[in-house]
Amino acid sequence: MSHNRILPTKNSWKNLKEYHIDEEVGFVLPTPQEELPYPYDQWISIAKNLPELIEKNELRKEVEKLKMFSIDDLKDHKSQRLAHLVLGYITMAYVWNQGGEDVCEVLPKNIAVPYCELSKKLDLPPILVYADCVLANWKKKDPNGPMTYENMDILFSFPGGDCGKGFFLVSLLVEIAAASAIKVIPDLLNAVKCEDHNTLQRALRYIASCLQQAQEEFKQIHEYVDPNTFFNVLRIYLSGWKGNPLLPEGLKYEGVWETPKKFAGGSAAQSSIFQCFDVLLGIQQSSGEESSFKFLQEMREYMPLAHRKFLQSLESAPSVREFVISKGDAKLKADYNECVKAMADLRKYHLKIVAKYIVIPSRNKHKTNSTSEETSEPENKGTGGTSVMTFLKSVRNTTEKFLLNVD
């Protein structure tokens, strides 16, 4: 299926830029900044050497030697996003250190204070979020080359070799493929308003093709990410302190709050792109399991503020689904269904990935460590802290319910 089925009008972008949505990469931060000036370069230095510092068991010592820096000189958005990414990496490394065997329950104030102040400025939580490790953690090897895995790298790494690079970059490429469809949203909504069936059909077909391309990009995970390394190494550093038995009370941010705080780890549910198309297509996750809907709503608080505002603006836009239903046009319904089916297929594929990268390694680890016949699998949780298979099945099932009957 052609991925260039419709060309957006030149006016499509005038209302999207204010939501920090880029013409080429959507919700992804375009050409992220890679360096920070003195004294913040000391944060960068630690973040760039995380795997080695952790291996030598010197990470916490190096972090504790840092002075506490004011964030006042981090004035522009890209500098602030880079600093949030870097402090997120340092925080995850400090808390989990050598893989969760020696968890630290207190983040020292020399990191906690600037991290929380910066998070408040960005309206993000003080933990490594999807917007950090996926959307702002990339660069091109050849600046003039294509946005392909071979021509890209991540800015910072956790232990686990290239597993993190594979996981973050494949996630990024899925995001960018799906985000290509954002450019037609203004035209699509205008087509609904003007009852322009032809433009609406072209836009729906283009959205479906972009979502199908996203699934193709997703398949690269098998080539670049090893399941055992992901489960036993990388996953630990992405885990948060909400619903985590290793930090049941949460994390104490020294010098900021008197009591520990609970924040969810990075999760694909924090991606704006799929919630965007749920809203656009009228797929109401609120009609599914309450816990799944509640989690998705909570994950919006982990998205950049401008992206949350975009989702809110879509919720008040004319309903594409109701328009399609009202017209009773079989071809229009079929094109709408292609989009819904593409969303459902992506979620089905995500279930397969979770089975391979979390459920099966969890079972294997449990069998290896267990001397009894107990079948409890406490590690069958996503990094966001939810029961990942239950959540994804609920979201997939709800998505499928919104397919229209075509007579």
Side-chain angles (χ1 to χ4, degrees):
M1 182 177 290
S2 171
H3 194 46
N4 297 306
R5 186 168 284 189
I6 179 174
L7 292 175
T9 64
K10 290 183 179 178
N11 292 329
S12 297
W13 285 98
K14 66 179 181 180
N15 296 325
L16 294 178
K17 288 179 180 177
E18 65 181 279
Y19 295 112
H20 291 187
I21 298 173
D22 181 78
E23 186 170 357
E24 297 298 324
V25 292
F27 294 111
V28 174
L29 185 68
T31 55
Q33 193 168 311
E34 296 179 41
E35 299 291 344
L36 291 171
Y38 177 85
Y40 312 114
D41 57 340
Q42 295 174 55
W43 294 343
I44 297 279
S45 178
I46 289 177
K48 282 186 174 177
N49 293 291
L50 279 186
E52 183 181 351
L53 289 170
I54 289 170
E55 185 180 355
K56 293 180 178 178
N57 204 20
E58 295 176 354
L59 182 279
R60 286 178 177 160
K61 182 176 68 176
E62 288 301 308
V63 170
E64 288 157 8
K65 287 196 303 190
L66 287 169
K67 291 182 179 179
M68 186 163 67
F69 306 133
S70 164
I71 64 162
D72 290 349
D73 291 330
L74 294 168
K75 297 188 184 298
D76 63 284
H77 184 70
K78 284 193 174 181
S79 293
Q80 292 168 2
R81 291 287 295 275
L82 175 57
H84 200 268
L85 166 64
V86 168
L87 291 174
Y89 259 80
I90 292 173
T91 295
M92 305 313 262
Y94 190 90
V95 170
W96 303 121
N97 200 28
Q98 294 190 314
E101 298 298 322
D102 55 345
V103 180
C104 189
E105 299 177 0
V106 180
L107 187 66
K109 62 183 178 182
N110 60 337
I111 289 293
V113 170
Y115 192 22
C116 289
E117 288 178 350
L118 181 62
S119 297
K120 186 176 181 180
K121 188 178 284 284
L122 287 169
D123 205 355
L124 287 170
I127 190 170
L128 189 73
V129 295
Y130 181 93
D132 298 322
C133 58
V134 175
L135 303 187
N137 186 29
W138 66 277
K139 65 179 180 181
K140 284 185 180 181
K141 295 175 183 176
D142 173 4
N144 299 314
M147 293 283 283
T148 59
Y149 189 94
E150 293 73 20
N151 190 44
M152 297 170 74
D153 206 348
I154 55 175
L155 305 182
F156 306 100
S157 299
F158 286 116
D162 283 340
C163 182
K165 175 183 175 181
F167 185 69
F168 295 140
L169 284 187
V170 170
S171 299
L172 182 75
L173 292 169
V174 170
E175 179 88 20
I176 291 171
S180 295
I182 297 174
K183 64 172 69 77
V184 301
I185 289 177
D187 293 338
L188 180 146
L189 294 177
N190 190 56
V192 170
K193 183 179 177 182
C194 300
E195 300 198 14
D196 180 348
H197 285 218
N198 289 336
T199 299
L200 179 56
Q201 283 185 263
R202 288 199 304 271
L204 288 170
R205 289 169 189 166
Y206 184 74
I207 289 170
S209 73
C210 292
L211 294 172
Q212 289 157 1
Q213 182 60 34
Q215 185 170 328
E216 289 302 307
E217 299 289 352
F218 208 171
K219 293 176 182 178
Q220 294 184 83
I221 197 167
H222 302 289
E223 183 177 351
Y224 297 113
V225 184
D226 174 70
N228 290 322
T229 306
F230 173 80
F231 183 81
N232 294 304
V233 184
L234 182 62
R235 182 185 62 94
I236 296 166
Y237 293 101
L238 302 180
S239 299
W241 24 96
K242 182 172 185 178
N244 192 328
L246 294 176
L247 281 170
E249 301 302 316
L251 180 69
K252 175 76 181 294
Y253 291 80
E254 188 180 57
V256 183
W257 294 297
E258 290 296 319
T259 56
K261 298 294 178 181
K262 297 179 181 181
F263 296 109
S267 164
Q270 295 168 5
S271 165
S272 303
I273 192 69
F274 299 110
Q275 292 211 35
C276 161
F277 288 111
D278 271 350
V279 174
L280 184 72
L281 297 168
I283 299 169
Q284 297 174 1
Q285 295 295 339
S286 57
S287 66
E289 291 185 23
E290 185 179 346
S291 59
S292 298
F293 175 67
K294 185 180 177 183
F295 180 69
L296 283 170
Q297 290 299 112
E298 180 191 330
M299 288 301 99
R300 286 197 186 187
E301 299 303 312
Y302 291 71
M303 299 174 186
L305 178 61
H307 299 169
R308 301 203 303 264
K309 287 182 176 178
F310 179 68
L311 295 181
Q312 290 166 359
S313 75
L314 276 186
E315 286 172 335
S316 61
S319 171
V320 176
R321 179 180 174 84
E322 287 178 12
F323 177 81
V324 171
I325 292 171
S326 71
K327 294 305 168 186
D329 183 321
K331 289 182 179 179
L332 198 54
K333 283 184 179 180
D335 288 329
Y336 170 85
N337 277 351
E338 277 298 300
C339 294
V340 177
K341 184 177 181 298
M343 287 287 286
D345 287 348
L346 261 168
R347 284 163 170 157
K348 287 177 188 175
Y349 197 76
H350 196 177
L351 274 164
K352 291 179 181 178
I353 298 298
V354 168
K356 178 177 178 178
Y357 285 86
I358 295 181
V359 177
I360 294 171
S362 174
R363 285 175 182 161
N364 292 341
K365 184 176 181 180
H366 184 73
K367 286 176 185 176
T368 302
N369 295 341
S370 178
T371 55
S372 69
E373 294 184 2
E374 294 176 6
T375 57
S376 171
E377 293 176 8
E379 292 179 292
N380 255 357
K381 284 193 172 186
T383 48
T386 189
S387 298
V388 65
M389 291 296 279
T390 303
F391 166 72
L392 285 173
K393 284 177 181 177
S394 168
V395 172
R396 175 206 61 192
N397 292 345
T398 301
T399 304
E400 289 179 331
K401 287 177 185 174
F402 280 81
L403 287 165
L404 298 175
N405 291 324
V406 180
D407 299 325

